[in-house]
């Protein structure tokens, strides 16, 4: 068995004395593991950083085997992000969430394209908004997408103000009634209306965070959400605070 594909390196862990297991996210093959001989060497360490774009060849005697990788570096993003805390935190969060949330060997071509665009846009002024949109896409692809098209109670498409924490459907202020305090807020950022306001983005991340933590994570066996995600949210929130003069 053999294939060759371009992919985003999500994670590297040592395997034995000299090898490493690579967790690679590809367009048509999804997340795919493999052993790289010499991957634990000092020479390879600068190349095998999360977020790196690799040209990878995978070989195995049987498809069910872990298999072996040979790789060439196309682009190393970690070094590019090193001088910006937000970019570095964003790179870590994206890779950690994909490795956490996606099953192995299931293709997600749409999510792969979104991820590639998101990582290539690191450092852009409104990158946190793009990241929030990416989290919505991740929830959608994993079966926990939000339906913000109309109120779940009245069917109205105007005046939407809340999200049901159970179903992920929008609820209008009129439809919420006495249940309003049990619902999650629906900030404009989740509707693509942040307008560059980081406070709106942080509010949106709190809502998506509920579905990642309370819906997606339990479905994966109660694994805790990667801390890298919260570190990114905290950094975005810190930058959203007004600066004292």
């Amino acid at each position: 068995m053999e294939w060759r594909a371009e992919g985003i390196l999500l994670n590297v862990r040592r395997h034995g004395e000299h090898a490493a297991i690579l967790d690679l996210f590809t367009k048509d093959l999804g997340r795919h593991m493999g052993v790289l001989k010499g991957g634990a060497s000092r020479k390879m360490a600068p190349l095998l950083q999360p977020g790196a774009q690799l040209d990878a060849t995978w070989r195995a005697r049987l498809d069910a085997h872990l298999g072996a990788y040979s790789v060439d570096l196309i682009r190393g993003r970690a070094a590019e992000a090193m001088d910006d805390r937000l970019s570095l935190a964003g790179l870590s969060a994206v890779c950690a969430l994909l490795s956490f949330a996606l099953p192995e060997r299931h293709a997600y071509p749409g999510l792969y394209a979104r991820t590639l665009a998101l990582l290539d846009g690191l450092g852009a002024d409104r990158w946190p908004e793009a990241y929030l949109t990416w989290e919505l896409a991740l929830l959608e692809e994993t079966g926990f997408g939000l339906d913000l098209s109309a109120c779940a109670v009245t069917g109205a498409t105007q005046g939407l103000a809340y999200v049901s924490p159970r179903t992920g459907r929008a609820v209008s202020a009129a439809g919420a009634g006495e249940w309003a305090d049990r619902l999650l807020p629906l900030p404009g950022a989740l509707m693509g209306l942040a307008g560059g306001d980081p406070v709106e983005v942080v509010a949106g991340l709190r809502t998506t965070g509920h579905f990642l933590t309370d819906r997606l994570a339990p479905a994966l066996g109660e694994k805790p959400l990667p801390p890298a995600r919260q570190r990114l949210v905290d950094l975005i929130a810190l930058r959203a605070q007004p600066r004292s003069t």
Side-chain angles (χ1 to χ4, degrees):
M1 304 295 299
E2 180 177 337
W3 55 257
R4 180 180 178 183
E6 185 177 316
I8 301 165
L9 182 61
L10 303 182
N11 189 29
V12 182
R13 68 176 187 268
R14 197 178 188 93
H15 182 67
E17 188 174 351
H18 303 292
I21 295 178
L22 308 189
D23 184 358
L24 199 66
F25 182 37
T26 68
K27 177 182 177 182
D28 298 319
L29 298 158
R31 277 186 60 223
H32 212 290
M33 302 281 197
V35 176
L36 177 65
K37 293 181 179 180
S41 68
R42 292 184 179 180
K43 178 182 178 181
M44 294 298 294
L47 308 180
L48 299 179
Q49 296 294 319
Q53 198 74 19
L54 301 178
D55 178 5
T57 300
W58 179 88
R59 297 181 180 88
R61 195 164 59 86
L62 296 175
D63 185 59
H65 289 177
L66 178 60
Y69 272 131
S70 59
V71 300
D72 289 310
L73 180 67
I74 297 174
R75 178 182 180 182
R77 296 185 174 91
E80 298 174 12
M82 198 65 69
D83 293 333
D84 179 34
R85 287 182 63 198
L86 183 62
S87 294
L88 192 59
L91 183 64
S92 297
V94 169
C95 292
L97 277 175
L98 287 171
S99 187
F100 170 83
L102 299 185
E104 290 185 56
R105 304 191 182 192
H106 287 256
Y108 296 91
L111 183 62
Y112 178 83
R114 282 178 174 270
T115 302
L116 200 60
L118 183 71
L119 295 183
D120 285 345
L122 280 167
D125 289 341
R126 293 171 66 167
W127 188 87
E129 286 181 60
Y131 173 80
L132 175 60
T133 302
W134 178 85
E135 277 201 351
L136 288 171
L138 178 63
L139 286 168
E140 182 69 32
E141 291 279 9
T142 52
F144 297 95
L146 309 188
D147 182 357
L148 308 178
S149 59
C151 175
V153 178
T154 67
T157 57
Q158 301 296 320
L160 303 178
Y162 304 100
V163 180
S164 166
R166 185 177 63 85
T167 66
R169 296 188 64 186
V171 181
S172 66
E178 61 183 22
W179 299 95
D181 61 348
R182 303 186 185 185
L183 301 175
L184 299 170
L186 175 52
L190 292 179
M191 309 287 285
L193 303 173
D197 185 352
V199 175
E200 279 282 305
V201 174
V202 172
L205 289 170
R206 291 196 185 103
T207 296
T208 56
H210 164 81
F211 292 96
L212 289 169
T213 303
D214 292 7
R215 302 303 302 280
L216 174 61
L220 298 173
E222 300 294 344
K223 295 190 297 182
L225 208 64
R229 194 264 178 187
Q230 189 57 51
R231 287 195 293 268
L232 172 62
V233 174
D234 289 344
L235 188 55
I236 294 173
L238 181 63
R239 295 196 176 189
Q241 295 176 1
R243 298 181 180 179
S244 58
T245 56

